[in-house]
Amino acid sequence: GRSAMAAVRDVEIDPEGTFKYILVRLQRPGGGEQRDIVRGTKAAEFHNHIFEKVNPEMEKLGYECKCLGGGKIEHNSKDKKIRVFGLSTGYGKADHSVTVEILKKEYTDYEITWSDDKK
């Protein structure tokens, strides 16, 4: 029910540094509720590494996952700034404006910006 989806965190990203991220849409099979989540980590050399980790986790909870695209996140925890930019070669560019809105839920006191810059 509602609780399982609520248990999935909106955002899981590294606390510091610049790394790849993906925007993932979770959906109950057969439609109904859906929501978008942000996942990013330095551990991932490629965007699909992130998806390959998140997809089985979400399938266990009964969700279908679709990657809506990717990019990069620059997370500066000292200055409380996050910058979203770039794109994923494999998945295409995520809608960074959507990503920013999701990040704002978690990082309420941060300055969060985005651009289509590659670097």
Side-chain angles (χ1 to χ4, degrees):
R2 168 87 192 88
S3 54
M5 199 171 248
V8 176
R9 292 171 56 188
D10 289 314
V11 179
E12 282 181 21
I13 59 171
D14 285 1
E16 189 64 48
T18 302
F19 44 85
K20 291 183 169 67
Y21 94 88
I22 56 172
L23 185 60
V24 179
R25 173 154 294 162
L26 303 183
Q27 191 153 9
R28 285 284 184 211
E33 54 176 342
Q34 62 172 43
R35 71 183 257 225
D36 298 343
I37 60 170
V38 174
R39 295 290 183 269
T41 177
K42 272 198 280 267
E45 193 184 345
F46 300 106
H47 287 91
N48 62 305
H49 292 171
I50 308 172
F51 189 73
E52 282 160 13
K53 186 175 174 293
V54 101
N55 195 36
E57 289 173 7
M58 295 305 148
E59 281 183 343
K60 275 195 205 103
L61 295 171
Y63 298 112
E64 290 170 350
C65 284
K66 182 177 167 214
C67 184
L68 302 178
K72 284 187 169 175
I73 286 175
E74 185 184 344
H75 189 174
N76 181 336
S77 54
K78 189 170 67 74
D79 296 339
K80 296 198 172 194
K81 284 184 178 176
I82 293 177
R83 185 169 75 96
V84 185
F85 64 101
L87 53 84
S88 160
T89 314
Y91 295 120
K93 187 177 80 68
D95 185 338
H96 296 327
S97 63
V98 171
T99 301
V100 166
E101 289 312 307
I102 297 169
L103 289 168
K104 280 178 178 168
K105 292 190 218 174
E106 185 87 10
Y107 296 95
T108 49
D109 56 345
Y110 268 60
E111 180 191 324
I112 306 176
T113 58
W114 69 273
S115 77
D116 288 329
D117 297 347
K118 297 284 192 294
K119 293 193 183 352

